[in-house]
Every structure is written in C-alpha cells, then in structure tokens.
Amino acid sequence: MNHTTFKTVALAALVVLSVVGSAGVAAAADVTEPAGTAEDIETGEQTQTVSDIEVTNTDPGADGVDVYINVTALETADVGVDSLNIDIDDANVTNANVTDQNVNQNNGNTVVRLTFDVQDNETAFTVESFQLVQLDTENATTTDGLTYDVVSSDSERLGSDAPDSEDSQTESFAIVDGDSEDDTDSTPTATESDEPTPTESGDSEETSTATEADSDSDSGDSNDSDSDDGSGDGESSGDGPGFGVAAALAALLGAAFLVRRA
C-alpha cells in the first residue's frame, strides 16, 4: 500500500468514527434524577399526573428523541392498565414538541413511550406534566414506595429491554384508600353536634320552676305566722280592761262591807 492510499483509508476511517461519535451523542441523552414526580393515586380514580421529567445532553435541535417510562409498578398494586392511555400536549413541554406517544405491553412490562422533537439550538427539554388515563383502580391494593423507571434512548427499550432500576426513577408515590378519606370528611365534628348544652337542658328549667314554687310557699307561711301573732295580741288586750273593772268593783264592795260592820 503506497502512501497516498494509506492517507485515503485513514481519512475514511476518521469520517466513520466521526459519524459514530455523532450518533453516540444522540443516544447519550440523559434523564435527570429523580426522573420527575408521580402523584399518589386514590382507589376509584382513573387518572395520575406525572410531572417534571427533564431530558438533557441531546444534539442541538435533535428530532425523534424517545423517552421510555416503565409503569409496571402499577400492576404490582393490582391497578389495571389494559386500557391505559396518555394525555399530553405541547403546552406542557418546554423546548420541545410531542410527535408521538403509545403504550406497549410485552414480556411482563408495561411501557409508555413519548417521542419529542427538540427545538432549534436547544440541547435539553422538560416535560412539565402529562397524565396516565383510563387506569382501573377499583380493586387496587393500598401500597406505598412505588416508582417508575425512566430512560431516554435511541434504541428501543420495550419488553425485556424496558427501563429498570439501573435507569432513573421518579419520586416515590402511593396507592391510597379513597373510601377512608370520604368517611373521614363525612364524620361530624363536636361543634356540629345537635346535643343541647347543659344551660339549655330541660332539667335546668324544671329546677328554676321548683325554686319559684318553694319561694311562693315560704311567703305564704310567713303571712300565716304574722296573722296568728296579731290575733293573740288582740285577745290579751281585751282581757286586760275587763279584769280591771271587776277588781275595782270587788274592792268597793269590800270597803262598804267593812264600813257597815264598823
């Protein structure tokens, strides 16, 4: 191989490496940790909001960036996902546009795939929020500590290749009992009770009435006592003058009798 041929082969190899390197940059898009927040789900509810998934290190203005979200954790809590769908729009995405979305169930994994075109000259974007809809939680089991595994990749991450614990995870969330919260809200508080207060009871009114009756009775007895005392005084006063006259007459007759004998 002459010197010119060697230079040509070396240049070609350099071009191939450059192309591979560029492809590697696209595949190296990262999802920050934690990979967003998934809100708690109440039993009986059919919707869950997932928010704040940030993807970084994309090519400037890259198209077709896939984000894979493994939501199989729902099935461990007996949440039905056979009718699962996604509700997302561009208004809830920063620095990118949504171009595709779907749900894949394969090899025991349920994976949501979202595809984005990054806006010109941008190398990162944020999914402010989207919703998982048509969840079946009627027979769900109350569970906490659940998370979703999330990854961005230019290779398919479905089925047995679904995101796992080696990838980024969302903040933990729980399945909570919606019925118990409804029961708590419907329990009346002590201030709402219809029970009468002690000052409003019938016993208090009866006591007041009895007290007034006793007072009237005592008043009557007091008047009777005064009347008896007055009557006694009158009879004593009448006897006094009659007795004095009789005594005077007796004394006068006695004196006359003594004078006559003399």
Side-chain angles (χ1 to χ4, degrees):
M1 179 182 297
N2 59 37
H3 185 67
T4 302
T5 303
F6 178 79
K7 289 178 63 176
T8 302
V9 171
L11 182 59
L14 187 60
V15 171
V16 170
L17 290 174
S18 178
V19 171
V20 171
S22 297
V25 171
D30 298 322
V31 175
T32 59
E33 183 82 26
T37 302
E39 69 178 9
D40 293 345
I41 306 173
E42 290 186 10
T43 56
E45 294 294 321
Q46 299 181 346
T47 301
Q48 181 190 32
T49 298
V50 181
S51 57
D52 299 327
I53 297 178
E54 185 176 359
V55 180
T56 61
N57 294 329
T58 70
D59 279 342
D63 292 338
V65 177
D66 288 325
V67 176
Y68 296 87
I69 305 161
N70 188 345
V71 298
T72 307
L74 292 172
E75 297 178 67
T76 66
D78 299 318
V79 176
V81 293
D82 289 343
S83 300
L84 176 63
N85 212 330
I86 310 108
D87 185 5
I88 185 172
D89 57 49
D90 290 341
N92 294 317
V93 181
T94 302
N95 294 338
N97 300 313
V98 183
T99 59
D100 195 17
Q101 62 195 55
N102 58 62
V103 177
N104 179 276
Q105 291 182 300
N106 192 9
N107 287 345
N109 285 306
T110 300
V111 179
V112 171
R113 175 167 56 185
L114 304 174
T115 304
F116 302 89
D117 285 349
V118 184
Q119 292 178 358
D120 291 344
N121 301 320
E122 298 292 344
T123 59
F125 64 94
T126 302
V127 182
E128 303 291 349
S129 68
F130 69 92
Q131 289 186 322
L132 303 178
V133 298
Q134 295 173 219
L135 297 170
D136 181 2
T137 62
E138 290 300 324
N139 298 312
T141 303
T142 54
T143 311
D144 58 11
L146 301 175
T147 60
Y148 297 146
D149 301 318
V150 185
V151 70
S152 177
S153 175
D154 66 347
S155 61
E156 206 169 61
R157 297 294 302 272
L158 306 173
S160 58
D161 294 324
D164 56 28
S165 59
E166 294 183 0
D167 299 303
S168 298
Q169 284 80 43
T170 63
E171 297 275 8
S172 63
F173 67 95
I175 309 298
V176 297
D177 189 350
D179 291 336
S180 64
E181 293 191 2
D182 291 341
D183 292 342
T184 301
D185 293 340
S186 63
T187 302
T189 61
T191 57
E192 297 172 341
S193 173
D194 293 332
E195 291 294 328
T197 61
T199 56
E200 296 174 346
S201 67
D203 292 342
S204 178
E205 293 179 359
E206 292 175 2
T207 301
S208 176
T209 303
T211 302
E212 292 175 0
D214 291 344
S215 177
D216 292 343
S217 176
D218 292 344
S219 177
D221 292 344
S222 177
N223 291 336
D224 291 344
S225 176
D226 292 343
S227 177
D228 291 343
D229 292 344
S231 175
D233 292 343
E235 292 173 359
S236 176
S237 177
D239 290 344
F243 180 78
V245 173
L249 289 174
L252 183 60
L253 290 174
F257 178 74
L258 289 176
V259 171
R260 186 176 179 179
R261 288 187 64 180

